[in-house]
Amino acid sequence: MRIVIKIGTSTLAHPTGHLNIRRVEEMCKIISDMKNAGNEVILVSSGAIGMGVGKLGLSCRPSDIPTKQAAASVGQCELMYTYDRIFSQYHHTVAQLLITGEDVKNETRHNNFNNTLERLLELNAIPVINENDTVATEEIVIGDNDTLAAIVASSVKADKLILLSDIDGLYTADPHTDPQAKLIPFVHCIDDKLCALAGGTASGQGTGGMVTKLQAAKICMDCGCEMIITNGNHPENLYDILDGKTVGTTFTERK
Ligand code: GLU
């Protein structure tokens, strides 16, 4: 299977911005095992800004663009160093791809990006993709890694996109405030009623939220790729997904 996994900042880092060592080590171990079982895995990883905040000792996530970009350039190094170090223990090789909206819109650049990705998969590497935050300002930004991950999943014709988030999936109401909120296991159609359920970002660490996840689901459903939202606090969910168990919320066309 060809699987794209999007890892959110809140899965990678503690609220302090420092690496959540136990979780990241567990996650990389499971992803390595997925590769060993013969799957092709592409990661779309957030965390550059979040980890840059930790490394630079900033008191909170910056709101101005130059500081965000500075934090991203520091954090991206830390991110790739971490992935390289941990995946190497399991004899896997990582590759960094940083792109912007321009690289997706421009046909030649999009093709170049796709060719590189395909070759990396043939070479058995694990591509790790992020937005190139140091150059991506408003005009050219994709904006969030949920959408970026869906664009990647559709361009490489992935079988599945798994979004590792800080929430178990899509709920009937906000589970942080409503004890009656129930997890929705399957979504076959994204209509206005469903969009009304989506709120903003819960953790304040990343930029995503349910709105961007539903946008990502639309892109995936349009190209026949199944998308699953599951909680990144429990990386072992990845095994359950491979075993065909129902975890989190699955967005799929009705068969
Ligand atoms: N590119 C951003 C980062 O690495 C994250 C964007 C997102 O989480 O959607 O910090």
Side-chain angles (χ1 to χ4, degrees), residues 1-6 31 34-35 37-44 111 113-127 129 149-163 220 223-228 238 241-242:
M1 251 196 293
R2 182 170 279 192
I3 304 167
V4 178
I5 303 175
K6 184 258 173 175
I31 293 170
M34 290 167 79
K35 286 274 300 167
N39 298 290
E40 291 176 328
V41 181
I42 296 172
L43 302 184
V44 173
N111 281 342
F113 165 70
N114 260 347
N115 292 341
T116 308
L117 260 183
E118 290 289 346
R119 193 78 190 104
L120 283 167
L121 293 175
E122 281 165 20
L123 292 166
N124 208 20
I126 303 177
I129 306 172
I151 292 171
V152 169
S154 104
S155 18
V156 300
K157 301 190 173 44
D159 299 293
K160 282 184 201 300
L161 166 61
I162 303 172
L163 302 182
C220 286
C223 68
C225 169
E226 188 175 88
M227 189 187 102
I228 298 151
L238 291 170
I241 292 169
L242 284 191

Side-chain angles (χ1 to χ4, degrees), residues 128-195:
V128 183
I129 306 172
N130 196 359
E131 180 135 30
N132 190 348
D133 292 313
T134 57
V135 295
T137 47
E138 234 163 280
E139 319 79 67
I140 57 161
V141 83
I142 296 172
D144 66 89
N145 278 359
D146 296 326
T147 308
L148 173 59
I151 292 171
V152 169
S154 104
S155 18
V156 300
K157 301 190 173 44
D159 299 293
K160 282 184 201 300
L161 166 61
I162 303 172
L163 302 182
L164 296 180
S165 183
D166 53 359
I167 189 158
D168 289 339
L170 180 67
Y171 281 83
T172 51
D174 183 350
H176 301 99
T177 53
D178 186 346
Q180 305 295 321
K182 288 202 175 54
L183 183 74
I184 303 174
F186 288 100
V187 173
H188 300 296
C189 161
I190 300 175
D191 53 18
D192 294 348
K193 220 172 111 201
L194 196 81
C195 291

